Short mmCIF file of all heavy atoms in Angstrom, two decimals:
data_model
loop_
_atom_site.label_atom_id
_atom_site.label_comp_id
_atom_site.label_asym_id
_atom_site.label_seq_id
_atom_site.Cartn_x
_atom_site.Cartn_y
_atom_site.Cartn_z
N GLY W 376 164.36 93.42 87.62
CA GLY W 376 165.65 92.85 87.64
C GLY W 376 166.37 92.45 88.95
O GLY W 376 165.68 92.28 89.88
N ARG W 377 167.81 92.37 88.93
CA ARG W 377 168.42 92.08 90.20
C ARG W 377 169.70 92.64 90.12
O ARG W 377 170.32 93.07 88.97
CB ARG W 377 168.49 90.53 90.37
CG ARG W 377 169.23 89.75 89.32
CD ARG W 377 169.25 88.32 89.48
NE ARG W 377 170.31 87.66 88.82
CZ ARG W 377 170.24 87.29 87.55
NH1 ARG W 377 169.18 87.63 86.91
NH2 ARG W 377 171.31 86.73 87.00
N VAL W 378 170.55 92.59 91.17
CA VAL W 378 171.95 93.03 91.30
C VAL W 378 172.77 91.89 91.74
O VAL W 378 172.48 91.33 92.71
CB VAL W 378 171.97 94.24 92.33
CG1 VAL W 378 173.39 94.86 92.19
CG2 VAL W 378 171.04 95.37 91.87
N GLU W 379 173.90 91.80 91.05
CA GLU W 379 174.89 90.82 91.43
C GLU W 379 176.11 91.63 91.82
O GLU W 379 176.47 92.74 91.20
CB GLU W 379 175.26 89.83 90.47
CG GLU W 379 174.31 88.69 90.29
CD GLU W 379 174.54 87.75 89.30
OE1 GLU W 379 175.57 87.84 88.69
OE2 GLU W 379 173.74 86.76 89.06
N VAL W 380 176.98 91.12 92.67
CA VAL W 380 178.13 91.85 93.04
C VAL W 380 179.41 90.91 93.16
O VAL W 380 179.23 89.72 93.75
CB VAL W 380 178.01 92.80 94.28
CG1 VAL W 380 177.52 91.88 95.54
CG2 VAL W 380 179.32 93.50 94.77
N ASP W 381 180.61 91.26 92.77
CA ASP W 381 181.86 90.57 92.93
C ASP W 381 182.79 91.56 93.58
O ASP W 381 182.75 92.82 93.22
CB ASP W 381 182.47 90.15 91.56
CG ASP W 381 181.80 88.98 90.99
OD1 ASP W 381 181.16 88.23 91.79
OD2 ASP W 381 181.75 88.85 89.77
N SER W 382 183.55 91.08 94.51
CA SER W 382 184.46 92.12 95.20
C SER W 382 185.72 91.49 95.71
O SER W 382 185.53 90.35 96.28
CB SER W 382 183.68 92.92 96.30
OG SER W 382 184.48 93.96 96.67
N THR W 383 186.89 92.10 95.69
CA THR W 383 187.99 91.56 96.35
C THR W 383 188.55 92.78 97.15
O THR W 383 188.73 93.86 96.53
CB THR W 383 189.08 91.17 95.29
OG1 THR W 383 188.39 90.35 94.31
CG2 THR W 383 190.27 90.48 95.86
N VAL W 384 188.80 92.51 98.35
CA VAL W 384 189.34 93.55 99.28
C VAL W 384 190.62 94.02 98.76
O VAL W 384 191.53 93.30 98.52
CB VAL W 384 189.40 93.12 100.71
CG1 VAL W 384 189.97 94.15 101.59
CG2 VAL W 384 187.94 92.68 101.23
N GLY W 385 190.74 95.45 98.78
CA GLY W 385 192.10 96.00 98.29
C GLY W 385 192.16 96.04 96.75
O GLY W 385 192.99 96.68 96.20
N GLN W 386 191.22 95.45 96.09
CA GLN W 386 191.35 95.47 94.47
C GLN W 386 190.24 96.19 93.87
O GLN W 386 190.41 96.78 92.85
CB GLN W 386 191.49 94.02 93.99
CG GLN W 386 192.86 93.42 94.37
CD GLN W 386 193.06 92.10 93.71
OE1 GLN W 386 192.31 91.72 92.81
NE2 GLN W 386 193.96 91.27 94.30
N GLY W 387 189.03 95.89 94.34
CA GLY W 387 187.91 96.58 93.65
C GLY W 387 186.61 95.82 93.71
O GLY W 387 186.52 94.71 94.10
#
Side-chain angles (χ1 to χ4, degrees):
Chain W
R377 64 180 200 278
V378 184
E379 283 182 1
V380 57
D381 286 333
S382 190
T383 311
V384 173
Q386 289 187 18

